[in-house]
Amino acid sequence: MSFSRCRTTPTASTSWFVRSDRMLMTMTTGRRLNYWLKTVRTLRAYVDMSTVDRCLIIDDRSSEEDVRSMKMVLTCLFPEMDYTFVNNEKGGRFSHVESMRIWQESITAEPLVFHCEDDWAFQNGAWKALGWAVNLMRDYDWIGQACF
């Protein structure tokens, strides 16, 4: 798991998380719908997704049917969240490198970015750790990333 500070700085606060701290969730995936579904289901169960304003999914050559399924699941599980799919069509040996280049170029104004991969499973208490990371970066502006 990784949290990164982007081009802007979050608003300082003493609470563990402030709704005004805009957050972008990003995820890379590719041709592994079953893993992606498990990740999204555990996100829904254990992470307070109301703090996420937008979701960017960078897909590495999944089938059109799988992408349709992913969009349907996101719409059903997180109806309030805006999401964007970006297709990495280059593929090949370094396709994840290309996905991360797309990731870097796609992040614009969000002060906080939560990145995960399609084969991660979250557990009870995950949001406490994420809240700790948000606090850490809000309270110490010289910290740019928190990894778990």
Side-chain angles (χ1 to χ4, degrees), residues 36-101:
W36 185 87
L37 288 170
K38 183 175 182 179
T39 299
V40 171
R41 286 182 185 131
T42 60
L43 271 169
R44 172 76 171 158
Y46 297 117
V47 178
D48 179 5
M49 294 300 288
S50 69
T51 57
V52 175
D53 294 313
R54 191 167 70 94
C55 180
L56 171 67
I57 298 175
I58 300 164
D59 179 68
D60 185 5
R61 299 173 290 135
S62 292
S63 70
E64 289 181 24
E65 182 180 336
D66 284 357
V67 171
R68 276 193 303 274
S69 295
M70 288 188 268
K71 288 178 179 180
M72 183 183 71
V73 168
L74 284 175
T75 301
C76 291
L77 293 180
F78 310 108
E80 302 298 320
M81 184 172 39
D82 292 329
Y83 62 87
T84 304
F85 273 80
V86 177
N87 191 3
N88 173 9
E89 296 177 351
K90 287 195 175 182
R93 182 173 169 199
F94 298 105
S95 61
H96 190 70
V97 173
E98 178 64 17
S99 291
M100 294 313 292
R101 184 195 62 75

Side-chain angles (χ1 to χ4, degrees), residues 13-18 48 51 127-128 130-132 134-135 138:
S13 173
T14 56
S15 67
W16 79 272
F17 190 86
V18 178
D48 179 5
T51 57
W127 195 242
K128 289 180 184 176
L130 300 179
W132 173 83
V134 168
N135 260 351
R138 185 185 312 112

